[in-house]
Amino acid sequence: MNFSNAVFLKSAAEPGQFIRDGRPQVVFAGRSNVGKSSVINALTGRRNLARVGNTPGKTTHVNYFSIDESFMLVDLPGYGYSKKSDAEKRRWAELMETYFKQYDAITLGVLVVDARHEPTELDRQMASYFQQTCVPWAVIANKTDKLKPREIEHSLETIKKTLVLDASVALIPFSAEKRAGRSELQAEILNRIK
């Protein structure tokens, strides 16, 4: 599987625009400033596949990327950006609620959290979405390059405890900047889309 053979397909602003073509979908969720788009770029080895902004909250639609014409990466809108209007937050909530109601399209959920901080209440809610739908999911602890090596293990334990992860959920230390954890995430995806 060639992860760098990646093509942007479309942005969906409303449920009627969601892609349901039978291909496996690997769904990325996380806070607005957690580096979701950077993780997708590191995973594919493509610098600007997913747009990375200087300000949080850049992803406001459901973005679809085709990988090697075999499966899709789906970048969900980031949550928790306080400067968004109440109407925009409601739109996001409705979009996500509808997306997760059609969970049979999700082959793997990937929750991206910040390794430097304990997962937030919104991170726990997103973990709960994945748990309730019973789809396989994994957690990416991004920004490990900002931690000292001895701090990473403590961070992973905190994430595991806060999100109540069992052995079926892969917890991958990751650095989008240094591409650390890339091969582990690729292996997790390939294992699920077989």
Side-chain angles (χ1 to χ4, degrees), residues 100 123-137 139 160 162-166 169:
F100 279 99
D123 290 327
R124 291 195 291 273
Q125 287 176 22
M126 186 54 70
S128 180
Y129 267 126
F130 286 127
Q131 289 161 343
Q132 288 169 18
T133 57
C134 297
V135 298
W137 63 297
V139 177
K160 194 180 293 186
T162 306
L163 298 180
V164 196
L165 303 181
D166 62 33
V169 181

Side-chain angles (χ1 to χ4, degrees), residues 12 14-20 23-29 61-65 72-77 91-110 126 129-130 133 135:
E14 55 190 50
Q17 298 172 336
F18 291 163
I19 296 177
R20 297 288 188 252
R23 277 188 286 174
Q25 294 188 13
V26 178
V27 178
F28 287 78
H61 296 64
V62 177
N63 293 317
Y64 293 86
F65 305 91
M72 286 181 279
L73 300 182
V74 183
D75 188 9
L76 298 181
R91 187 191 74 81
W92 178 88
E94 289 168 11
L95 195 65
M96 291 305 87
E97 190 173 321
T98 306
Y99 187 87
F100 279 99
K101 276 182 183 169
Q102 300 174 26
Y103 62 85
D104 56 315
I106 303 172
T107 304
L108 176 68
V110 179
M126 186 54 70
Y129 267 126
F130 286 127
T133 57
V135 298

Side-chain angles (χ1 to χ4, degrees), residues 11 15-16 32 34 55 70 86 107 134 154 158 164 169 174 192:
S11 287
S32 292
V34 79
T55 55
S70 299
D86 287 343
T107 304
C134 297
H154 177 263
T158 300
V164 196
V169 181
F174 201 93
R192 298 297 185 178

Side-chain angles (χ1 to χ4, degrees), residues 75-87:
D75 188 9
L76 298 181
Y79 52 80
Y81 186 49
S82 60
K83 291 188 180 176
K84 288 194 182 296
S85 68
D86 287 343

Side-chain angles (χ1 to χ4, degrees), residues 33-57:
N33 61 347
V34 79
K36 246 180 331 94
S37 297
S38 296
V39 168
I40 289 171
N41 290 338
L43 176 66
T44 59
R46 299 278 303 278
R47 189 177 212 96
N48 296 309
L49 179 68
R51 279 188 248 151
V52 178
N54 291 329
T55 55

